Amino acid sequence: MPEISRFYGIVIRMFSEVGEPHHVPHFHAYFQGQSAVYGIQPMMLMTGSVPPKQARFVEAWAEIHQSELLANWHALTKGRRAVSIEPLS
């Protein structure tokens, strides 16, 4: 699963779904052994959890980069590579 961003100890990854996607557009956030899956549009927690402070960072980052996240999702469904997205600073 490609890593697309990393900030404040949080790793953001997105699975490749070539062809007709089986899931809604989403990404995975990992922090110290915990993980959460966030929908992109609408931006929302779908499953799992990370600590509240890190969850706020992930949600803020995803709101800022929503169009880039969707572009990566569409690229992966076409068999192309995801591109890195600027970290939260």
Side-chain angles (χ1 to χ4, degrees):
M1 176 170 30
E3 180 178 315
I4 59 173
S5 195
R6 181 184 293 253
F7 49 90
Y8 305 128
I10 303 163
V11 177
I12 307 294
R13 296 180 182 270
M14 190 177 284
F15 278 107
S16 175
E17 291 194 8
V18 177
E20 188 64 33
H22 302 292
H23 300 94
V24 298
H26 66 279
F27 65 91
H28 300 249
Y30 299 89
F31 181 78
Q32 295 183 352
Q34 293 181 285
S35 64
V37 178
Y38 289 87
I40 298 172
Q41 195 174 41
M43 208 306 292
M44 61 181 236
L45 176 65
M46 294 172 58
T47 187
S49 67
V50 292
K53 180 178 178 180
Q54 284 69 30
R56 287 191 299 276
F57 288 149
V58 170
E59 292 162 6
W61 174 85
E63 289 288 339
I64 293 166
H65 297 288
Q66 187 175 37
S67 62
E68 294 162 276
L69 286 162
L70 282 171
N72 269 343
W73 179 266
H74 294 302
L76 289 169
T77 63
K78 292 180 169 84
R80 297 192 314 255
R81 295 176 60 141
V83 297
S84 295
I85 299 176
E86 287 292 316
L88 193 61
S89 55

